[in-house]
Amino acid sequence: MDSPSKSIQENQSNQSFDKKVATWEVKVGLAEMLKGGVIMDVTNAEQAKIAEQAGAVAVMALERIPADIRVHGGVARMSDPKLIKAIQDAVTIPVMAKCRIGHIAEARILEALEIDFIDESEVLTPADEQYHIWKHDFQVPFVCGCRNLGEALRRIAEGAAMIRTKGEAGTGNIVEAVRHMRSVMEEINVLTTLPKEALVAKAKEMGAPLDLVIYVAEHKKLPVPNFAAGGVATPADAALMRMLGAEAVFVGSGIFKSSDPLQRATAIVRATTYWDDPKILLEVSTGLGEAMRGLSLEQIPESERLAVRGW
Amino acid sequence: MRLRIGILALQGDFVPHAMMLKRLNAESRLVRKASDLIDLDGLILPGGESTTMTRLIEFASLHQPILTLIASGIPVWGTCAGTILLGKQGTDPRVRSLEAIDIEVARNAYGRQSESFHADVIIRELETPFEGIFIRAPKIVSIGDSVQVKGKFNDEIVFVEQNNVWASTFHPELTSDVRIHQLFLKFCEEKKR
């Protein structure tokens, strides 16, 4: 090592550098690492191991998967930390968990548990009908759901480091996730065609901060990773969401409500990577056994729809 | 002739690597099957989840083709999960290593996401520090005699090289600083000649 920079290195080696934690770069950085992957809902350590074995990039630890939350009714809350801890101990991939919309205390508990990502989720019963959490104050990153671009940008303004579609969780029906992803992508496309002065009016109309609206118009994408969630039940569903622009996919009830979870989970992981290769999609979609039964949206009364929670 | 660099694109942050290469006027090719490895001047293994990549490398039967490419002397650079895959096989069977560089790597060695950080890193070939972003990062816990240190964060070894293989535990692709990608392209250019 006799390059001219050797002396520079020796000079610098006397310096000691500090770590900066919980910065925006570090929060969005983890979301970047999850891209192209599948995040799976699990309710115990055994399921978490199956998810990891199938190739999940992360698991979402919760007491009941959304399909069972629907059946169970009542108030859905943050899971018991004991259950989350058991899942953290079972796998090496990141572990996420959900808190109720606006429930700052649940989020603080999950942070103390050193969860890797908090999902401020409409799947649980909202704790605050007026405000979401101010997420910049937390050490750990947050993901939030959205139905359109304005909602996505409001959550990012509050500090969400990842956005996902809301879809309609626990239905095994992809139609709402498609609606939400289409909406976000189309609105992004429209912004890129507008002059600056029109962006001010757009920001007002969408109820989104102007600086983020300008960012989207200039970069033709959200400033954070944009994932799909809510109703994914098959490898083809995962591939479809990737085709529509999702950078990764959450699968909730679709895996452990199916007849062969490991095989289905593995197939969804492969379909998420090879979303644009129909031959592989054909191969991984074949002979998977029964998918979760699923619900049509008409079967769900307006009052029981999860996507309308939050604003 | 523009350099053509492959980026393993099974999962993870392969797009930021591709954007860096674009800024530096190199061609990038996303690698998802063995035929994508033909006619490359370099290969990057990005960050992401090493367990997931292991499963997908297995599915795509890419293990041996990547080893063949490395054996042919073409420069290969792993960042974070890529470093885990390039290092020696650990005790955890959930990750299958390529064993292409003589280093032992401990996964998630700083802790969970709340311990992720960025900090200045000293790089041997660079005159000023480089901002290293470490996401649930691994640590290089030991290096073989023929491995050279390219970068350190304080006393920790975070960037190494051995023959045509580079391994870093941080993510230059997540910064706007192109200097390390520039060095890699220079290395690919030299090897090509």
Side-chain angles (χ1 to χ4, degrees):
Chain A
M1 203 169 62
D2 46 14
S3 67
S5 58
K6 188 173 179 184
S7 59
I8 293 159
Q9 194 207 2
E10 278 169 0
N11 288 338
Q12 289 178 342
S13 67
N14 299 325
Q15 292 175 253
S16 169
F17 297 108
D18 292 331
K19 288 182 185 177
K20 286 168 278 185
V21 297
T23 59
W24 182 245
E25 288 83 356
V26 160
K27 289 176 177 176
V28 177
L30 180 56
E32 290 284 344
M33 294 311 133
L34 301 175
K35 279 186 181 176
V38 183
I39 300 149
M40 301 181 191
D41 278 5
V42 297
T43 59
N44 56 48
E46 211 43 56
Q47 288 183 354
K49 284 180 191 166
I50 291 171
E52 188 176 54
Q53 195 188 341
V57 284
V59 289
M60 177 76 70
L62 68 181
E63 262 163 15
R64 270 187 277 277
I65 53 177
D68 290 335
I69 291 175
R70 281 189 184 282
V71 175
H72 194 260
V75 174
R77 309 179 181 91
M78 176 189 81
S79 299
D80 188 332
K82 186 181 170 188
L83 173 125
I84 299 170
K85 184 75 176 52
I87 290 169
Q88 284 176 315
D89 292 342
V91 294
T92 59
I93 53 179
V95 177
M96 305 187 175
K98 292 181 193 291
C99 73
R100 284 177 265 180
I101 290 173
H103 207 310
I104 307 162
E106 284 187 349
R108 285 294 179 202
I109 291 167
L110 293 175
E111 179 180 51
L113 192 58
E114 295 191 315
I115 205 77
D116 293 300
F117 238 105
I118 297 174
D119 184 4
E120 187 185 17
S121 177
E122 70 284 357
V123 168
L124 305 182
T125 311
D128 192 324
E129 293 187 338
Q130 200 173 6
Y131 304 125
H132 286 70
I133 295 170
W134 183 254
K135 293 164 272 285
H136 287 294
D137 283 349
F138 286 73
Q139 295 267 324
V140 289
F142 278 74
V143 51
C144 288
C146 76
R147 284 161 294 175
N148 52 51
L149 183 58
E151 194 173 11
L153 296 182
R154 287 191 290 279
R155 298 293 86 77
I156 295 166
E158 292 159 354
M162 179 202 294
I163 288 296
R164 57 171 174 77
T165 58
K166 285 182 172 172
E168 189 59 32
T171 61
N173 187 339
I174 199 68
V175 67
E176 290 299 296
V178 167
R179 192 191 317 279
H180 300 157
M181 187 56 77
R182 287 254 186 221
S183 170
V184 169
M185 300 311 282
E186 281 170 15
E187 288 174 282
I188 289 173
N189 277 333
V190 168
L191 289 189
T192 62
T193 65
L194 297 176
K196 280 263 164 47
E197 60 273 23
L199 296 178
V200 183
K202 267 285 175 195
K204 181 184 176 222
E205 183 192 314
M206 292 194 297
L210 179 60
D211 59 330
L212 292 177
V213 171
I214 292 173
Y215 178 95
V216 171
E218 284 176 355
H219 294 83
K220 214 179 171 179
K221 65 181 194 69
L222 296 180
V224 304
N226 180 17
F227 291 11
V232 176
T234 67
D237 288 344
L240 171 62
M241 296 314 297
R242 294 279 277 143
M243 289 172 191
L244 297 181
E247 294 170 304
V249 178
F250 284 81
V251 187
S253 316
I255 290 171
F256 290 100
K257 279 285 168 194
S258 73
S259 61
D260 187 343
L262 176 60
Q263 196 192 358
R264 181 165 295 266
T266 303
I268 292 175
V269 167
R270 291 170 180 175
T272 301
T273 293
Y274 295 97
W275 58 275
D276 58 351
D277 188 328
K279 279 187 184 156
I280 293 181
L281 294 181
L282 168 64
E283 178 193 334
V284 304
S285 299
T286 303
L288 280 186
E290 206 167 329
M292 72 178 284
R293 189 160 178 281
L295 287 170
S296 74
L297 268 288
E298 295 73 33
Q299 289 170 270
I300 309 168
E302 200 65 36
S303 62
E304 287 177 23
R305 294 197 185 174
L306 304 177
V308 298
R309 295 168 167 180
W311 51 276
Chain B
M1 269 281 280
R2 282 170 86 201
L3 290 168
R4 186 186 297 128
I5 309 298
I7 308 169
L8 189 67
L10 299 172
Q11 188 275 317
D13 75 331
F14 48 87
V15 173
H17 275 294
M19 282 159 62
M20 277 286 187
L21 296 177
K22 193 176 173 193
R23 279 177 63 189
L24 295 169
N25 197 32
E27 185 187 334
S28 57
R29 183 197 287 159
L30 300 184
V31 172
R32 293 191 293 167
K33 50 188 191 295
S35 58
D36 297 331
L37 290 167
I38 295 163
D39 288 336
L40 294 178
D41 302 312
L43 177 68
I44 292 174
L45 309 186
E49 285 303 319
S50 53
T51 52
T52 304
M53 290 186 198
T54 292
R55 302 316 308 268
L56 289 164
I57 286 173
E58 189 181 301
F59 173 64
S61 306
L62 278 169
H63 192 88
Q64 196 53 48
I66 294 173
L67 284 179
T68 306
L69 178 130
I70 296 171
S72 74
I74 287 168
V76 177
W77 172 24
T79 60
C80 197
T83 286
I84 295 168
L85 293 177
L86 288 170
K88 285 161 84 168
Q89 177 66 42
T91 52
D92 189 340
R94 287 174 285 197
V95 175
R96 184 178 175 206
S97 295
L98 293 154
E99 304 216 282
I101 182 166
D102 189 12
I103 57 172
E104 284 179 323
V105 187
R107 289 161 58 209
N108 301 338
Y110 295 92
R112 297 185 187 280
Q113 171 62 11
S114 50
E115 307 297 325
S116 291
F117 64 98
H118 48 132
D120 281 346
V121 170
I122 301 297
I123 307 293
R124 198 179 67 200
E125 292 106 319
L126 300 179
E127 298 198 353
T128 55
F130 191 95
E131 186 191 27
I133 300 183
F134 297 79
I135 309 289
R136 287 171 42 96
K139 277 187 189 175
I140 296 169
V141 289
S142 75
I143 63 170
D145 291 341
S146 56
V147 175
Q148 287 177 325
V149 176
K150 287 177 83 68
K152 279 188 165 187
F153 160 59
N154 294 336
D155 290 332
E156 289 168 13
I157 297 169
V158 296
F159 193 6
V160 292
E161 71 178 318
Q162 182 183 21
N163 303 322
N164 56 322
V165 180
W166 291 15
S168 63
T169 61
F170 57 100
H171 295 281
E173 72 281 9
L174 294 183
T175 67
S176 55
D177 189 339
V178 297
R179 289 180 295 166
I180 295 179
H181 284 80
Q182 228 159 10
L183 290 173
F184 184 66
L185 290 177
K186 200 174 134 214
F187 183 49
C188 294
E189 188 76 62
E190 284 164 9
K191 283 278 175 182
K192 197 181 175 179
R193 269 192 238 123

